[in-house]
Amino acid sequence: MTEIVIWLIAFALILFFSIKLWKTSVSAGLNKVMPRVIKSDDDNRWVWSIALAVLGATTLVRPIDMLLTAIVIAILALIVKKLAGWAMGKANFH
């Protein structure tokens, strides 16, 4: 029960501050790391703020789970990249 309460408080605070500081810092920070296709607009501020709040609150409450998830995703991405490179090398485009 305590974990849920801490998560809800962290979620509410992160959501509040990300919406409040959208123009000054959050939007600029997202635009630096995101590709041009999915750049953040004012229309997407609620979607991005909720996503950041969920990730932030979960990272605060369960940091090891988030770290292990990130490691698994990175390993899978590396395997997919290596398999794609191998398949492109084996493919005959002539």
Side-chain angles (χ1 to χ4, degrees):
M1 182 69 180
T2 306
E3 186 175 306
I4 294 170
V5 172
I6 293 171
W7 190 91
L8 288 172
I9 291 170
F11 174 80
L13 288 173
I14 293 170
L15 183 64
F16 172 75
F17 284 116
S18 66
I19 290 173
K20 183 178 178 183
L21 301 173
W22 181 259
K23 286 283 189 191
T24 56
S25 62
V26 179
S27 178
L30 279 176
N31 283 338
K32 287 181 184 177
V33 296
M34 294 293 169
R36 188 176 354 144
V37 176
I38 57 173
K39 293 261 186 198
S40 61
D41 296 329
D42 286 336
D43 300 337
N44 298 332
R45 132 176 114 179
W46 283 96
V47 174
W48 284 110
S49 295
I50 291 173
L52 290 173
V54 168
L55 286 173
T58 305
T59 302
L60 285 173
V61 173
R62 304 195 55 115
I64 301 300
D65 291 346
M66 293 299 286
L67 179 65
L68 290 175
T69 302
I71 290 171
V72 167
I73 290 172
I75 290 171
L76 289 174
L78 181 65
I79 290 170
V80 167
K81 182 179 174 185
K82 294 292 184 181
L83 283 174
W86 174 78
M88 293 298 285
K90 290 284 191 177
N92 186 5
F93 292 110
H94 298 302

